[in-house]
Amino acid sequence: MPSIRTKEFTPRASEAINNPTIQESLGRLSNFRQGREEAIAEFGQERWDEYKKRAQEIKHETMEHLDHYLDMLSTNVERAGGHVFFAHDVQEANDYVAGVAQANNVKTVIKSKSMVSEEMGIADVLESMGIEPVETDLGEYIIQLAKEAPYHIIAPALHKSKEEVSELFERILGTPAQSDITALAAIARKVLREKFLKADMGMTGANFGVAETGTIVMVTNEGNGRMSSSLPKVHVATMGMERVIPRLADLSTFLPLLTRSATGQRITSYVSFATGPRRSDEEDGPEAFHLVILDNGRSNMLADPQLREALYCIRCGACLNACPVYSKVGGHAYGWVYPGPIGAVVTPSLVGVPIAKDLPFASTLCGACREVCPLNIDIPRMLLKLRSDANEGPKGTRKANRVEAMVMRGWRMTVGGPRMFTMAGKVATLLQWPLSRNRFLRRLPPPLSGWTRSRDFPKVAAKPFRSRWAAMALPPSKEGSDGD
Amino acid sequence: MAARKISLFVTCLVDQFYPEIGEATVRLLRHLGVEVDFPADQTCCGQVALNGGYRSHAVAVARRFVEIFRDSEAIVAPSGSCVTTVFTHYPELLSEFPELAGEVESLRNRTFELTQYLVDVLGVEEVGAFLPKPTRVAYHDCCHALRDLGVASQPRQLLQSIDGIELVELTDCESCCGFGGTFSVKYSEISTAILNEKLRNVDASGAEILTAVDASCLMHMGGAMRRQTMQARPMHIAELLASGLPGGACA
Ligand code: SF4
């Protein structure tokens, strides 16, 4: 598993906010947002909503009978001549893949983009065995060279400017500086072509695993999913156990939602299907096909009715693009594989709330994520649940802050009745009296200093509304409310 | 217009920090022929605890709220986010009291944000407010009002009816101001970065007044507008809509 750096959320967020190049890159998220909106407008809002509803129903059906559909998927992959391995955790998944690589005497592995393989950290495992893993998605390739984690679910190198990419290629590949994006892509293509041809194993993810046919479906724009799954003699696909869908026909619901939500495309350049290894009458394709299905904590989410719907996610990235927090702090602040709003739900659920406590709290709960999500996943509600788990969950799973908890108990007493409430207001007016002459406070002590670093804070009113109500409660005639 | 009775839920923030918003709300409702009462036991809806991850406290406060307002015909608040707490979250918060289920369901459907009540329930098209001089006003969509309650056209329609107003639309009017309750304090730097982008759009609109349905968002944006001595000033929509009405001052 890649290192978990969720505890560094605040300093890494700060770094991003104060880095003008990163802020400029994050500004480009508006292209995704606009693309999505235009694509939906063209599709028709009403039709879009119907598709969303149908997708939700299919996911609901799948999750309610997940064991059944996973069993069907596995049976049909095996019927097509493939192997299926259910991995309880990352260790098991990595061991299995390492075993396959060893058995086939593999020297080079080409990989197409897969979040689950990031979750496994399989690249590091292969490297430690003396096997060269090569990312073949351009963005993934760039961050592999830079030794970084993906920045965005669908645009892993979103944060890199073309100057940075040129400098990176110059330093590592020894190619001359380039300012033209096409030329940079050409450099990568040339390097990757050679790797494609000599690789003895290909690893891909799976956007969908179709239960009724045993087919895995890869949605890409670069065709590298097809190359990775057909050129080498062994193809290993990894997927989270929630990627299964019941029927091939369900793709007609999910694909339009996925590509429009992700990039605003009607369809991506490549949608590749792989069902088992090459048949005897086929000309190309791998000799062996393995499907690794990963749990790694997903069963716990499935068992929790308040988190289950997070497994409906099709990883389109729309919630990242819409999120005001992600748009400022970027992907690395989230500290693990999955960034943004869905990451703030998935990461604490998979790695544990105590070490990822910042994530559910670092949200304004504005609801923009839920609004754009093609599966209507109620992320804000899940964040609230995780917040309360962090403060009030069972011992061992929570990470409460004593001082804050005390303040909250005080608050509860204060709002417990009008008398205490009024008194608290009076006390506050006395305390604030020496602090400022006008209606505002410019500086407050910690923890409220967080507010006054950029904002004035209003003083508590000398006479609260409840004390003014008596005067207002006089018969309306004196108010002159007959005027119209 | 048929006589209507509502109970005002003034919200803890307005009660203690912005009582003039409460007064404006009462003036406005009375002007429109609505009878207003103020249940004196009210304090908070529980949003503070819910947002902060102290669900158990939120549950206790929500229970109190249900008791206090159980006999009210309708409950109106000058806030979208407090109404959202009742409308969106009470059913789940109070789910451990199955005996309250029916009551909670009825209560959430009787609780309204001010402009939502005026337009959707009363069918008000204009309130008869006027501004002493032509004024450029921008409306900010507060997140909960917009996304949980569907409040977007109602405030705009009422604002348009004010004599002397020039309503301008903000670029990205639907994007969050970065407040988020405790978020603004705990993650101050992120909150400020989001806020600054919002304020750039306010500035670019040339607005003299920035209005919204929530005092909390206005406290947030207004606090920074004051710090940065921007030309625009914040004003709650109740105060704008009550402007020039009998019994109060002009905006
Ligand atoms: S949560 Fe929804 S919007 Fe976010 S990546 Fe998943 S499907 Fe897309």
Side-chain angles (χ1 to χ4, degrees):
Chain A
M1 197 143 91
S3 62
I4 302 170
R5 297 180 62 187
T6 41
K7 283 184 174 169
E8 297 161 56
F9 179 84
T10 303
R12 293 181 93 189
S14 178
E15 237 172 78
I17 288 171
N18 294 304
N19 181 330
T21 319
I22 289 204
Q23 290 304 311
E24 201 185 313
S25 304
L26 288 168
R28 289 198 289 273
L29 289 172
S30 61
N31 298 337
F32 282 137
R33 289 196 290 267
Q34 201 186 339
R36 176 188 163 276
E37 271 165 34
E38 286 168 9
I40 294 173
E42 182 205 59
F43 196 74
Q45 186 65 50
E46 219 170 290
R47 191 164 157 232
W48 183 254
D49 293 338
E50 275 166 34
Y51 272 60
K52 275 172 69 173
K53 190 156 163 276
R54 201 169 345 131
Q56 263 181 293
E57 284 163 5
I58 298 168
K59 283 288 183 187
H60 179 77
E61 174 200 344
T62 314
M63 294 307 154
E64 293 303 304
H65 308 284
L66 192 60
D67 50 345
H68 168 72
Y69 287 114
L70 283 174
D71 191 50
M72 192 192 285
L73 173 67
S74 134
T75 307
N76 287 321
V77 169
E78 279 163 3
R79 195 169 286 160
H83 306 274
V84 178
F85 181 71
F86 283 94
H88 174 67
D89 55 21
V90 158
Q91 181 75 43
E92 278 187 21
N94 284 336
D95 288 351
Y96 181 83
V97 177
V100 171
Q102 228 152 21
N104 289 281
N105 205 9
V106 167
K107 301 277 178 309
T108 306
V109 172
I110 46 171
K111 286 185 69 229
S112 83
K113 195 176 134 11
S114 146
M115 298 303 287
V116 166
S117 79
E118 294 287 341
E119 190 177 330
M120 291 160 57
I122 186 66
D124 291 344
V125 175
L126 293 172
E127 216 156 358
S128 72
M129 298 166 62
I131 297 170
E132 184 192 16
V134 184
E135 295 289 349
T136 61
D137 171 276
L138 179 56
E140 288 280 347
Y141 181 59
I142 292 168
I143 61 160
Q144 186 184 27
L145 291 184
K147 297 196 190 322
E148 288 179 18
Y151 211 71
H152 185 287
I153 295 181
I154 62 153
L158 173 87
H159 59 307
K160 293 269 181 238
S161 66
K162 57 179 194 283
E163 290 75 22
E164 284 172 313
V165 173
S166 166
E167 191 262 329
L168 190 67
F169 283 5
E170 210 179 329
R171 182 158 55 83
I172 293 177
L173 305 175
T175 50
Q178 275 294 350
S179 58
D180 176 43
I181 295 183
T182 320
L184 285 168
I187 294 174
R189 179 186 292 128
K190 190 151 170 281
V191 177
L192 291 175
R193 264 307 127 124
E194 283 159 28
K195 306 282 184 194
F196 272 123
L197 291 172
K198 76 169 199 197
D200 11 43
M201 182 166 129
M203 285 192 72
T204 70
N207 291 87
F208 304 97
V210 183
E212 72 171 356
T213 56
T215 305
I216 66 147
V217 183
M218 294 158 283
V219 181
T220 76
N221 271 318
E222 297 169 23
N224 57 324
R226 172 48 86 211
M227 297 270 272
S228 305
S229 61
S230 57
L231 272 180
K233 62 179 197 281
V234 184
H235 173 200
V236 178
T238 53
M239 64 179 250
M241 67 181 211
E242 77 285 11
R243 303 281 111 205
V244 63
I245 56 171
R247 296 156 294 263
L248 203 55
D250 296 332
L251 288 170
S252 63
T253 300
F254 287 111
L255 286 174
L257 288 173
L258 174 59
T259 60
R260 284 175 178 80
S261 299
T263 53
Q265 288 170 288
R266 292 182 190 141
I267 186 88
T268 44
S269 311
Y270 298 87
V271 178
S272 313
F273 295 67
T275 313
R278 162 170 38 158
R279 316 282 150 78
S280 53
D281 60 342
E282 283 173 346
E283 272 179 27
D284 46 25
E287 289 160 21
F289 172 74
H290 300 261
L291 177 61
V292 178
I293 301 175
L294 182 66
D295 183 331
N296 202 31
R298 288 166 174 78
S299 292
N300 300 337
M301 294 177 72
L302 185 68
D304 189 331
Q306 294 193 69
L307 293 176
R308 186 175 302 156
E309 283 181 22
L311 295 174
Y312 292 14
C313 172
I314 55 173
R315 305 276 187 264
C316 70
C319 58
L320 279 63
N321 306 336
C323 177
V325 175
Y326 179 88
S327 305
K328 292 294 170 218
V329 309
H332 287 163
Y334 292 84
W336 199 51
V337 180
Y338 303 99
I342 189 64
V345 173
V346 169
T347 302
S349 305
L350 297 188
V351 308
V353 174
I355 59 164
K357 188 181 171 183
D358 272 315
L359 271 41
F361 282 92
S363 161
T364 65
L365 304 176
C366 75
C369 48
R370 180 186 56 206
E371 188 176 37
V372 298
C373 176
L375 272 303
N376 240 337
I377 300 172
D378 197 346
I379 293 175
R381 191 187 284 271
M382 294 176 190
L383 295 176
L384 282 177
K385 178 225 161 12
L386 291 165
R387 287 181 184 191
S388 108
D389 285 356
N391 291 337
E392 300 184 326
K395 263 213 178 88
T397 66
R398 66 171 180 236
K399 190 173 187 294
N401 175 324
R402 276 216 199 128
V403 178
E404 194 186 270
M406 228 166 63
V407 172
M408 280 314 296
R409 274 198 296 277
W411 172 85
R412 158 106 169 258
M413 269 169 58
T414 308
V415 301
R419 221 170 279 151
M420 275 297 282
F421 189 64
T422 311
M423 199 149 76
K426 284 224 172 82
V427 172
T429 52
L430 289 177
L431 287 176
Q432 72 191 3
W433 180 74
L435 295 178
S436 126
R437 281 166 199 283
N438 55 36
R439 282 195 59 186
F440 290 88
L441 304 169
R442 273 186 85 85
R443 206 161 285 140
L444 285 167
L448 292 174
S449 52
W451 178 281
T452 46
R453 67 181 284 163
S454 58
R455 297 149 287 212
D456 289 353
F457 194 77
K459 276 187 176 169
V460 173
K463 202 172 172 198
F465 177 82
R466 63 187 63 238
S467 312
R468 302 181 187 202
W469 169 252
M472 291 200 90
L474 294 174
S477 59
K478 290 201 180 155
E479 289 277 312
S481 73
D482 49 347
D484 216 354
Chain B
M1 196 180 303
R4 295 285 195 140
K5 268 177 77 171
I6 66 107
S7 294
L8 174 67
F9 172 53
V10 81
T11 78
C12 55
L13 185 73
V14 166
D15 183 25
Q16 292 293 332
F17 289 90
Y18 301 104
E20 53 301 336
I21 295 176
E23 291 175 319
T25 305
V26 173
R27 258 197 335 270
L28 175 63
L29 285 164
R30 283 185 178 161
H31 173 73
L32 294 166
V34 180
E35 200 180 307
V36 181
D37 81 274
F38 178 78
D41 273 349
Q42 63 177 280
T43 55
C44 172
C45 64
Q47 181 177 196
V48 178
L50 176 68
N51 173 304
Y54 293 88
R55 190 177 175 281
S56 65
H57 295 321
V59 169
V61 177
R63 264 209 88 157
R64 254 196 107 239
F65 188 98
V66 173
E67 268 156 37
I68 291 164
F69 289 100
R70 71 165 29 122
D71 296 324
S72 303
E73 236 171 75
I75 301 124
V76 173
S79 160
S81 69
C82 302
V83 171
T84 295
T85 303
V86 177
F87 183 77
T88 304
H89 298 288
Y90 272 17
E92 191 277 321
L93 275 178
L94 295 169
S95 58
E96 57 202 80
F97 308 104
E99 71 280 6
L100 286 181
E103 204 168 339
V104 171
E105 185 55 26
S106 153
L107 183 88
R108 70 187 275 269
N109 289 311
R110 298 196 322 268
T111 308
F112 304 96
E113 180 279 322
L114 175 64
T115 67
Q116 188 186 28
Y117 178 75
L118 294 182
V119 174
D120 297 351
V121 180
L122 294 190
V124 171
E125 283 172 6
E126 52 183 279
V127 295
F130 64 86
L131 299 173
K133 63 177 179 59
T135 310
R136 225 165 200 242
V137 177
Y139 175 75
H140 164 72
D141 286 279
C142 298
C143 297
H144 296 149
L146 175 71
R147 298 195 180 88
D148 283 85
L149 307 177
V151 168
S153 63
Q154 301 91 324
R156 287 182 171 83
Q157 181 195 322
L158 294 175
L159 287 169
Q160 286 289 9
S161 79
I162 297 176
D163 196 22
I165 201 167
E166 187 202 340
L167 194 60
V168 292
E169 285 294 335
L170 295 175
T171 306
D172 292 335
C173 59
E174 296 189 353
S175 73
C176 178
C177 74
F179 173 51
T182 49
F183 172 83
S184 59
V185 174
K186 282 190 184 168
Y187 301 96
S188 169
E189 191 175 13
I190 306 171
S191 169
T192 300
I194 300 171
L195 172 62
N196 284 338
E197 190 168 323
K198 175 60 65 181
L199 294 185
R200 275 195 290 280
N201 289 325
V202 173
D203 220 22
S205 75
E208 296 155 80
I209 291 179
L210 175 68
T211 194
V213 298
D214 269 283
S216 52
C217 307
L218 285 171
M219 171 171 89
H220 184 239
M221 294 183 284
M225 283 152 70
R226 206 186 127 80
R227 180 68 62 89
Q228 299 176 18
T229 56
M230 282 174 59
Q231 91 148 5
R233 63 193 168 105
M235 182 176 280
H236 190 273
I237 195 164
E239 291 181 277
L240 266 174
L241 292 174
S243 178
L245 299 185
C250 285

